[in-house]
Amino acid sequence: MRFSYVTLFEGLIASYFEDSILKRAIAKELLSVEFFNPRDYTLNKHGKVDDYQASGGAGLVFFPQPLFDLLRSIKHASPEAYIIFPTPSGKLFTQNDAKRLAKKKHLVFVSGRYEGIDERVIETFADELFCIGDYVLTGGELPSLVMSDAISRNIKGVLGNEDSLSMESFESPLLEAPCFSKPPIYENKSVPSEFLKGNHAKITSLKNKMSESKTKYFRPDLFSRFNAKH
Ligand code: ADE
């Protein structure tokens, strides 16, 4: 997978790939990461990328020219580039999207700042628009990273243990059961005794029950969908 980030702030994104699982994925050549700065594509000598809104009103927006030239050159060099705009007005990004997008070869994330991006850029280049949750962030860099991370772990070979994919929350309609480590008792709180007895059928059945109660409590919306199907 090739990830391209269009951003004014490369450093915000680059550091995330310098540790842990995604660093290893780059070393194994399962992922590659590159950056494009809209300022490098401006025709004005000050590298200005934003301007007042045509409608008036507070806040600046990215004007079209630098992003048109930049995205056109990416598409020209890589016709398979699939362009994603993170925005609070996009569709909610889900695990299904992460799995689906993990099959693409080249994803481009375009991070807005300020009030946003001139709509004509989005109309011309967007393959999809995604929101990562109902709150507003200061720019698209974090949402781009959130999506890249969720997508990456669905690329074969990125996670050491592929089993961890199938057992977790959102792979099933229920949230994942709580997990425990050692020691069996810590500050008077114990690991559920069934977990320590080694009977895998019983452990699975207990985990399923825990998943159900956890989902019912924390995510009644998911639970009613689950209930409707079972
Ligand atoms: N940009 C600012 N807030 C956002 C959000 N919640 N999701 C995606 N992009 C955003």
Side-chain angles (χ1 to χ4, degrees):
M1 168 71 78
R2 175 177 169 197
F3 284 141
S4 302
Y5 299 95
V6 174
T7 172
L8 296 176
F9 304 108
E10 169 175 339
L12 291 181
I13 296 177
S15 58
Y16 194 68
F17 293 91
E18 287 166 10
D19 280 300
S20 191
I21 293 175
L22 299 189
K23 178 184 179 182
R24 278 200 299 279
I26 291 175
K28 286 199 257 175
E29 297 186 359
L30 298 169
L31 286 186
S32 72
V33 173
E34 63 185 352
F35 298 93
F36 296 88
N37 191 331
R39 284 199 208 291
D40 297 336
Y41 291 77
T42 53
L43 300 176
N44 62 80
K45 59 176 184 253
H46 304 294
K48 188 171 132 81
V49 292
D50 52 317
D51 215 327
Y52 295 106
Q53 301 194 51
S55 58
L60 299 167
V61 294
F62 277 75
F63 57 80
Q65 176 273 316
L67 287 174
F68 260 73
D69 289 358
L70 195 173
L71 293 171
R72 212 163 251 153
S73 83
I74 291 181
K75 269 297 217 192
H76 182 73
S78 172
E80 64 196 359
Y82 193 80
I83 305 183
I84 293 171
F85 286 72
T87 159
S89 48
K91 163 187 171 300
L92 191 66
F93 182 80
T94 65
Q95 183 72 3
N96 279 342
D97 297 309
K99 284 205 257 185
R100 178 171 58 80
L101 294 170
K103 300 196 176 89
K104 304 266 180 214
K105 289 208 165 71
H106 183 190
L107 295 177
V108 180
F109 295 92
V110 185
S111 297
R113 282 262 145 186
Y114 323 119
E115 275 306 296
I117 294 176
D118 188 301
E119 191 66 20
R120 290 165 290 185
V121 179
I122 296 166
E123 274 171 13
T124 310
F125 294 100
D127 288 302
E128 290 193 66
L129 308 181
F130 282 116
C131 169
I132 61 156
D134 291 341
Y135 39 80
V136 181
L137 299 162
T138 55
E141 284 78 8
L142 271 178
S144 298
L145 270 182
V146 166
M147 291 187 270
S148 312
D149 186 293
I151 292 165
S152 299
R153 53 201 301 294
N154 285 286
I155 297 170
K156 202 167 169 36
V158 167
L159 293 181
N161 176 5
E162 308 288 326
D163 282 354
S164 39
L165 270 183
S166 59
M167 289 305 293
E168 62 200 6
S169 301
F170 306 117
E171 290 301 323
S172 93
L174 295 173
L175 300 180
E176 198 176 0
C179 48
F180 298 86
S181 175
K182 289 172 187 156
I185 298 176
Y186 185 73
E187 291 206 351
N188 263 340
K189 297 184 200 314
S190 42
V191 171
S193 58
E194 207 64 66
F195 281 23
L196 305 171
K197 293 183 195 152
N199 180 331
H200 291 289
K202 283 197 174 161
I203 293 176
T204 304
S205 145
L206 179 59
K207 280 193 167 179
N208 289 342
K209 282 194 198 123
M210 287 171 140
S211 279
E212 281 193 34
S213 9
K214 197 173 158 185
T215 311
K216 198 170 176 180
Y217 185 76
F218 286 116
R219 293 291 305 269
D221 56 323
L222 294 181
F223 189 73
S224 44
R225 242 186 285 162
F226 166 77
N227 244 357
K229 283 193 196 148
H230 290 83

